Amino acid sequence: MASVTIQILNGAAAGRVLTSDADVVRLGRAEDAEVVLPEQHVSAEHARLLAGDSQVVLEDLDSTNGTWVERAGARFALGAASPRCILSSGDVLELGGQGESGTRLRLTIAPDRDAGRVLAMRPLSELAAPGAVKEADRLRALLDALRKIGSADGFERTVGAVADAALELVPRATHAAVTLRDESLPASETVTHGLVGVATRVRGPDGKPCAPEQPIAIPRSILRRVSRERAAVLIADAPSEAMSSESLLGASIHSTMGVPLWKGEELLGVLQVDSRGAPAMFGATDIDLLGVLSANASLAIANARLIQSLSKAQQNLKKENSFLRARETRSGGSQDVRIVGESRAMGELFRQLDKVVDTRVSVLVQGETGTGKELIAAALHQRSKRREKLFVAQNCAAFPENLLESELFGHKRGAFTGATDDKKGLFEVADGGTLFLDEIGEMPLSLQAKLLRALQEGEIRPLGGANVRRVDVRIVAATNRDLDVEVKAGRFREDLLYRLKVFPIRVPPLRERRDDIPLLARHFLERYAREFGKPVDGFDDEALALLAAYDWPGNVRELENEVQRLVIQVDPGERIAPEILSPRVRQVEGILTQANNAKGTLREMVDQVERHILLDALREHGNNKTAAAKTLGITREGLHKKLKQLGI
């Protein structure tokens, strides 16, 4: 593998020359970059060099001000469409600007110089061959080392035990290191190795392996050779041979061995053992011994890494589950779902819920804004046999089309810009439970087709995915629109409406369940008095009558907000009086005064109020029922129904 020499031509670091034989060399303003360039026009992580077996590649890391390459008088740019290019020796890199307006770096690419005298080489197929180690004492040491590796708990301890074992098995070795492939780099990268040091050990004064007090350099030339040849390599007397790479000479290495760690055809990393400082020669028996060790250590490391990944995934799933459970509780999907209402309209609603609760059919909850459609959906879930699984809610109007598709169906890594990891969609998260789609009428037409397939076939396909996944999800949708009108207007698919509207449920507005207003008001009063830590002595009768007489166009949500404001405004220990109600609620106060002589139950008093309101509206519009109904915010049929109920 080639080494790269970088000469900084201008800027604050002009004149510096750096030589690197690393697989990855980062260029940027960040302090942890291999080549730090302090100019402001250079991004923190501007670009990186990727050194492969036969070439060096420059990759722009989505820099702010761009990257250019000057070659033989010509200049070309790297960008989003083409972020990489293969470099040649003598190329000049320009970071953050062209010419002198950017930071210029000249590259010199040198050929591989690590072809030293190889004393022994063992291909993978021979590393763990029976009879490779014949000395009884060393066999016992090997067995003891393998037992220690097998009993190590966790990934870091397992890798450390492998490095310890290498020093214990090779008495003439002074240093041992385990380097593993960086899993964040795809196997198809130009950088084919991407090996990162994970554990290093040195021989202590007592002859036992120990962790070094200071970081020690791990020569990369032997790593490259092992990776390229896919074999264990023993190189002896390094300084006196052609094996004269700077990394070996700088570390004063006299003899070194590198043994691959592998799983099937996949190279996991390299176990490297060195003799530094004093001359000491390794022999063929040493490399055979490490070969047997690596065969077993490879499996232990692969298993430890897998367990570590599974543990992280389990932790992420626990966090995800906790988050969803908390969100479920906040949205009313917990075990204590409580719907406040004793009116005739709510009684009919509860009967409808009981009929559909344990079926698989889709339910369409219809109602005005603020009537509590999500609470009804949560109650449907909690009464069903799916209660042990998740209730997941999604507002279809809260995301643009492409993000909503990803939110519902998930995506694969690289499916679109910003998709850096695989993501589960809400259909998968809610598998076995209930998915509540609020504001379904806002869903784009193109996405409606994919939702229809999920409903018909029980299959979903993540964005960028090739395979479909089967899910068992009950869909409860909600809307405050008339979907039949949306279908006629071409904004909603008729076939999807039929799928969703298998069992429609209508949530009545507050003006149709006035008997429930005092119950709801007291319920919210108790909740917010407890939440704010403020004792409140309840409502005056007149205040409660005003609340019951108001039409509440925002329904339960508006009533909740009104009570929350009242709790904040009232003095501790006082009752809520009409004077602190909102002006919009007190607008019927004059009518109540006219009806004040009426005595009886709350229902009878409310009927009197409604009678006065209706008569005033009819009188104001010359008995024109259509105009009066429009002013009252109800349909003409609704007005007729009210007049009949009140005997007008």
Side-chain angles (χ1 to χ4, degrees), residues 153-172:
D153 182 19
F155 175 72
E156 292 183 0
R157 291 184 179 179
T158 298
V159 177
V162 173
D164 289 338
L167 284 184
E168 291 172 350
L169 293 175
V170 184
R172 286 169 289 189

Side-chain angles (χ1 to χ4, degrees), residues 41 93 129 140 143 205 214 429 448 465 470 479 483 541 546-547 552 557 559 570 580 604:
H41 55 257
L93 314 185
R140 282 192 290 270
L143 180 59
Q214 300 292 334
V429 173
Q448 291 177 26
R470 295 201 62 81
T479 182
L483 293 185
D541 290 342
L546 285 170
L547 292 174
W552 301 105
R557 186 181 297 123
L559 174 60
V570 71
I580 64 172
E604 291 170 344

